[in-house]
Amino acid sequence: PARLPRASGTRRAMNWIELIWHVIAGACLALAGVHFVVWLRRREALEHLSLAVAAFAVASLGVLEPMILQATAVDEYVRLLRWFHVPVAVFCLAIVPFVRVRFGVGSVALGVAAIALRLASLVANFSTGVNVNFLQIDALTPAFLFGVAVGVPQGTPNPWMALGSLSLLLLVLFLGHATWEVWRRKRAPDRWLAFATLSSATAFILAGGSWHYWWSPARWSRRSWWCRCLPASSWRWASTSARSSRACPNSAAAWSRAKPAGRKARCSCS
């Protein structure tokens, strides 16, 4: 069938998937506003602009994902899933510059390659099949995700989906490399917060990807779970940005000058 059955004449109540996803979307939207205001006051602080864009992209995912999970018609599912990949690409475009500008760590080659493959995946999303995940979707099969009815697409996979998967792998490697560099810089400012931010991002990508690939009936959405770590440390970045800018106006430069442990170097704010 092209449409999932739904009781007529009844008003559907919000379930826990919609509630949690919308709470995450609201939190990310608030964080996007906070970081955007900080950037307006300090135009040289491009890391806040990058983080605002990334948070807005995650907020968009939080709105689109429950709509896709509970779509009842194939046409509706196809349309929503196609546009779902736009904020995913925006997040990738924003998070790589954030890591590079804020911490000065991470392989430039890996970051550029991840962005390039994500953009290529986005082109394939609008030019091949019905989206980058499927060449064709024939029907939506009912399934249950922790007691909530969701629609699982049945169709022909799109081989161009490999571009998105490879981009995700490169992003994991980029964040993993950045995490390792942060860990080695013993004297860098906010070292533990930076390590927690980057390591949690890497862990969420791996855990979310494994969860959706091996168990979840809605395997298309495995890419979005790695964004859930963004609210965890973003608020603290905003709250400490004013203090760090007054105490160390060139904090980003101080990060880039910080040397790995074992070398005779000191991090200076001058």
Side-chain angles (χ1 to χ4, degrees):
R3 181 179 292 271
L4 293 178
R6 175 173 292 177
S8 59
T10 59
R11 184 175 182 179
R12 183 175 59 84
M14 178 178 291
N15 56 56
W16 70 268
I17 288 182
E18 293 175 307
L19 179 62
I20 293 178
W21 263 247
H22 290 167
V23 168
I24 293 174
C28 289
L29 193 60
L31 292 173
V34 169
H35 286 284
F36 185 72
V37 170
V38 172
W39 174 74
L40 288 178
R41 298 182 61 180
R42 297 174 53 215
R43 295 297 180 92
E44 73 280 1
L46 295 178
E47 65 269 24
H48 288 284
L49 177 61
S50 298
L51 203 54
V53 173
F56 182 79
V58 176
S60 302
L61 294 175
V63 173
L64 286 173
E65 190 167 10
M67 295 174 64
I68 299 173
L69 284 172
Q70 299 182 87
T72 57
V74 170
D75 292 342
E76 177 187 9
Y77 191 100
V78 166
R79 183 179 67 256
L80 291 172
L81 183 54
R82 181 185 297 122
W83 287 104
F84 178 86
H85 290 279
V86 175
V88 171
V90 172
F91 181 88
C92 186
L93 284 167
I95 202 64
V96 171
F98 166 73
V99 174
R100 288 294 310 170
V101 172
R102 181 60 181 86
F103 306 120
V105 296
S107 170
V108 175
L110 287 174
V112 171
I115 291 176
L117 286 175
R118 178 57 60 183
L119 292 178
S121 173
L122 191 62
V123 172
N125 181 61
F126 288 97
S127 60
T128 63
V130 294
N131 50 59
V132 74
N133 299 92
F134 294 94
L135 293 175
Q136 180 181 349
I137 296 179
D138 302 316
L140 297 177
T141 302
F144 288 92
L145 181 62
F146 292 116
V148 178
V150 297
V152 180
Q154 302 296 326
T156 306
N158 191 336
W160 288 102
M161 184 171 53
L163 289 176
S165 299
L166 185 56
S167 172
L168 187 62
L169 174 61
L170 292 177
L171 186 60
V172 170
L173 294 177
F174 170 79
L175 291 173
H177 181 259
T179 303
W180 172 246
E181 288 190 341
V182 164
W183 178 256
R184 295 178 63 200
R185 298 186 179 188
K186 301 293 185 181
R187 298 181 181 274
D190 293 331
R191 171 174 172 259
W192 283 106
L193 180 58
F195 178 77
T197 301
L198 296 174
S199 61
S200 62
T202 307
F204 268 76
I205 293 176
L206 294 174
S210 301
W211 166 267
H212 281 272
Y213 183 82
W214 293 107
W215 186 88
S216 174
R219 291 188 175 91
W220 61 266
S221 63
R222 60 181 179 270
R223 292 181 179 85
S224 65
W225 278 80
W226 48 269
C227 305
R228 300 297 183 253
C229 61
L230 184 64
S233 54
S234 178
W235 182 263
R236 186 173 176 184
W237 283 121
S239 63
T240 59
S241 61
R243 295 197 301 270
S244 63
S245 63
R246 290 193 296 267
C248 183
N250 298 320
S251 58
W255 258 100
S256 63
R257 291 196 300 269
K259 302 298 182 181
R263 298 182 184 181
K264 296 182 178 180
R266 296 184 62 183
C267 176
S268 172
C269 292
S270 59

